[in-house]
Amino acid sequence: QQSALPLLTQLTTNTMLNTLPQLITYSIFVPTILRVLVGFSFFYIAFAQISRRKEISETTFPFIGKPDATFVVIIALIAGTIGFLILVGMYTQLAALAGMALTLKHAIYAKKYPRAVPLCRGEYVYLFIILFTLVISGAGLLAVDIPQL
């Protein structure tokens, strides 16, 4: 009686259902590319919020009312910090979870507060999915994540 393991090994090594199987070699770079994309997106969100802090501070929000311009800068710095942590790959999964919460909040309020939320709802959905992928896959190459003890 023959085991199915050699057949399974042969199927996975010899027949790749991929048009360009050579590119699979570079799959280690995928989380890094996603981190760079998300990091710069969060930098843009922070920059846009700091640039529009006067207009944002004149808007009335639920639960907080009209925020002070300093509060808007602090919120933008939080977004920038999340972007920096994801970009360099430090505490990537925790930063991605915080980024998921931020993108979910922004996606919900994108239509109602367009000056405070610089991207459209669809872009926040894309960012949420990418961040979820980073939570599952980890930081990837060129990260400075601290190893677990």
Side-chain angles (χ1 to χ4, degrees):
Q1 186 173 10
Q2 194 174 10
S3 173
L5 188 58
L7 178 62
L8 182 63
T9 306
Q10 182 182 6
L11 284 174
T12 57
T13 57
N14 292 340
T15 55
M16 294 293 279
L17 300 174
N18 201 339
T19 308
L20 301 169
Q22 298 85 3
L23 293 179
I24 294 176
T25 306
Y26 303 109
S27 64
I28 194 166
F29 292 108
V30 172
T32 306
I33 294 167
L34 293 176
R35 278 192 0 246
V36 170
L37 175 98
V38 170
F40 282 117
S41 297
F42 273 87
F43 286 154
Y44 173 74
I45 292 167
F47 173 75
Q49 288 179 335
I50 288 174
S51 303
R52 302 172 186 169
R53 67 182 171 270
K54 187 174 186 317
E55 298 168 19
I56 294 171
S57 64
E58 294 170 355
T59 307
T60 304
F61 294 98
F63 304 115
I64 62 170
K66 289 187 177 186
D68 186 45
T70 308
F71 182 74
V72 175
V73 170
I74 291 170
I75 296 299
L77 288 176
I78 290 171
T81 303
I82 291 171
F84 175 76
L85 290 174
I86 290 174
L87 181 67
V88 298
M90 183 177 282
Y91 299 109
T92 304
Q93 291 174 318
L94 292 175
L97 286 171
M100 286 172 67
L102 185 77
T103 56
L104 184 64
K105 180 189 74 124
H106 281 204
I108 291 169
Y109 291 116
K111 296 269 188 198
K112 193 168 184 179
Y113 305 105
R115 298 304 294 166
V117 181
L119 302 177
C120 71
R121 184 174 287 165
E123 291 168 324
Y124 285 113
V125 170
Y126 287 142
L127 284 174
F128 184 88
I129 292 169
I130 292 170
L131 287 166
F132 181 70
T133 303
L134 287 174
V135 168
I136 293 172
S137 69
L141 194 64
L142 302 173
V144 290
D145 259 346
I146 298 169
Q148 289 188 348
L149 301 174

